[in-house]
Each structure stands twice: as structure tokens, then as C-alpha cells.
Amino acid sequence: MKEKQFTVLDSEAKEEIKFNIFIKEKDIQKKIKSIGKKISKDFKNNEKPPILIGVLNGCLFFMSDLIKATSIEMEMDFIKVSSYRGTSSTGNVRLIKDISAQIVDRDIVIVEDIIDSGLTINFLRKHFNSNSPSSISIITLLYKKEISEMEIEPDYYGFIIPNKFVIGYGLDYKQKYRRLRDIYVIDE
Ligand code: IMP
Ligand code: MG
């Protein structure tokens, strides 16, 4: 049986945080199938396969399910960044692990679990642009459209969600709870 609520014990803060079920596994998978179909159609006449670049760690399940939902050849690579946010909205993104693929004259597709402030994706677009790919597309499963300060819109997204903290399906709270098959939203 699916848990409708999920309680997180934050041992540092010594408090319990309640999360409610938000997007069910079935609906996540349905949406991924439709994104998979779209990208297969959009890239099917490519001379060279697109390179999917997953943003670790959150992209883990999404990237895997997305690739399985496509019907074209794709290459893949991964990048890891960390973003620091002070009290103001201006944050700083730091590169932790870069890709190893050569992206010159290739179509690349960045795969994100969630776009929140948009800082990470803006940083990544600039980072990859300096290596002259033919094109850069952006896929995100979740999109906090209200608050994100995106320089451009993502090309593909799963769900537009409100500005609330979510966990599960790769998304973490203090590095935990990524394993959950459904996505849960904080109870406020
Ligand atoms: P950004 O604010 O768009 O740069 O978001 C960067 C990263 O913050 C995302 O890739 C996630 O790893 C993390 N993040 C943002 N919002 C959430 C959330 O609601 N739950 C879990 N992680 C989040
Ligand atoms: Mg992430």
C-alpha cells in the first residue's frame, strides 16, 4: 500500500517534517513516456545521436526512465554541481564533476530533476556553450515556474509545481529519501 504521508525526522533540527503524497509513480511514468516520445520524434532525423547530460544526483531515476521511454539512439554523460544560496536570491554554482564527452558540434540535452531558482541551469547553459555544441536543450521533470529566474524556458518539462519543497523519485532532503517512488510535498 502507498503511504499518503511521509514523516521525516530531522535529527539536527530535532523536528518532524510531514510530507504529503503529491505526484504518484503512475503519473510520473505516464508523463515520462510522453516526454520520451517527444524527444524521440524531435531528434530522430539527427545525423549524430544527441548527448543526454544528467545533472547528478537528482537526475538518477528520471534519466534512467526517460532513456527507456525513447526509441532513438542517445549517448549519455553526467555532471555534478553544487549551488550555494545565501539569504538573498543571488546564489553561486560550483562545478564538482564535469562531463567527459566531447560536445563540439553535437546536440546536447541537459536532464534536470527540478528547476527551482534556475541558477543551476543558467550556469550549465553558459558552461556548455563555451564548448560550442550545435544545440542545447533542457529537460526538467519538475518546474517551479513561479519563482525560477530562467533566461530561457525549458524545452521539455514534466510538471509545473508551486514553490514548495518536494522529495522522492531522486529528490532529496539532506541527501535522504531519494528512493521514494512517488513525489511528496512538504506539509505547510
Ligand atoms: P536551482 O535553484 O534551480 O538552481 O535548483 C538547483 C537544485 O536544487 C536542483 O537541481 C535540486 O537538486 C535542488 N532543489 C531545488 N528545489 C528542490 C526541492 O523542492 N526538493 C529537493 N531538491 C530541490
Ligand atoms: Mg539537482
Side-chain angles (χ1 to χ4, degrees), residues 75-89:
E75 294 176 22
M76 67 176 110
D77 206 332
F78 296 92
I79 192 161
K80 189 166 184 173
V81 292
S82 84
S83 47
Y84 292 99
R85 273 174 227 124
T87 44
S88 75
S89 62

Side-chain angles (χ1 to χ4, degrees), residues 8-94:
V8 161
L9 178 65
D10 188 333
S11 47
E12 272 166 54
K14 291 198 175 68
E15 60 173 346
E16 283 191 346
I17 309 166
K18 282 198 170 59
F19 285 86
N20 298 317
I21 196 145
F22 183 46
I23 310 171
K24 293 204 178 102
E25 180 180 14
K26 186 168 69 55
D27 298 317
I28 299 171
Q29 294 303 330
K30 214 167 121 189
K31 188 68 87 175
I32 293 175
K33 288 210 170 69
S34 90
I35 303 175
K37 267 195 191 147
K38 266 192 224 152
I39 59 172
S40 303
K41 190 164 155 263
D42 292 352
F43 290 96
K44 79 167 186 291
N45 295 321
N46 269 39
E47 207 182 302
K48 286 184 189 163
I51 308 175
L52 252 63
I53 302 178
V55 186
L56 295 169
N57 295 326
C59 74
L60 180 67
F61 302 127
F62 178 42
M63 177 114 157
S64 148
D65 289 338
L66 183 65
I67 292 171
K68 288 184 274 179
T70 60
S71 54
I72 52 162
E73 293 309 319
M74 288 178 302
E75 294 176 22
M76 67 176 110
D77 206 332
F78 296 92
I79 192 161
K80 189 166 184 173
V81 292
S82 84
S83 47
Y84 292 99
R85 273 174 227 124
T87 44
S88 75
S89 62
T90 51
N92 214 314
V93 183
R94 191 166 61 95

Side-chain angles (χ1 to χ4, degrees), residues 55-56 58 83 85 93 112-121 144 148 161 164-167 171-173 178:
V55 186
L56 295 169
S83 47
R85 273 174 227 124
V93 183
E112 261 283 26
D113 50 354
I114 187 165
I115 294 176
D116 184 349
S117 66
L119 277 169
T120 305
I121 213 79
K144 292 184 186 171
S148 76
I161 62 162
K164 287 187 181 170
F165 194 77
V166 290
I167 54 167
L171 291 141
D172 69 303
Y173 173 70
R178 294 190 198 271

Side-chain angles (χ1 to χ4, degrees), residues 115-187:
I115 294 176
D116 184 349
S117 66
L119 277 169
T120 305
I121 213 79
N122 288 339
F123 168 88
L124 290 174
R125 276 186 51 245
K126 290 195 185 99
H127 176 70
F128 292 131
N129 242 329
S130 60
N131 286 301
S132 314
S134 317
S135 71
I136 302 180
S137 310
I138 296 162
I139 302 185
T140 185
L141 180 63
L142 306 177
Y143 183 22
K144 292 184 186 171
K145 191 176 165 68
E146 271 170 53
I147 60 149
S148 76
E149 290 179 23
M150 292 280 288
E151 285 160 9
I152 53 157
E153 292 276 303
D155 301 86
Y156 312 86
Y157 61 81
F159 304 90
I160 289 178
I161 62 162
N163 181 20
K164 287 187 181 170
F165 194 77
V166 290
I167 54 167
Y169 196 66
L171 291 141
D172 69 303
Y173 173 70
K174 299 193 175 173
Q175 297 303 326
K176 290 191 284 191
Y177 316 109
R178 294 190 198 271
R179 67 180 172 79
L180 300 168
R181 287 168 173 263
D182 308 279
I183 294 172
Y184 292 77
V185 65
I186 197 157
D187 183 282

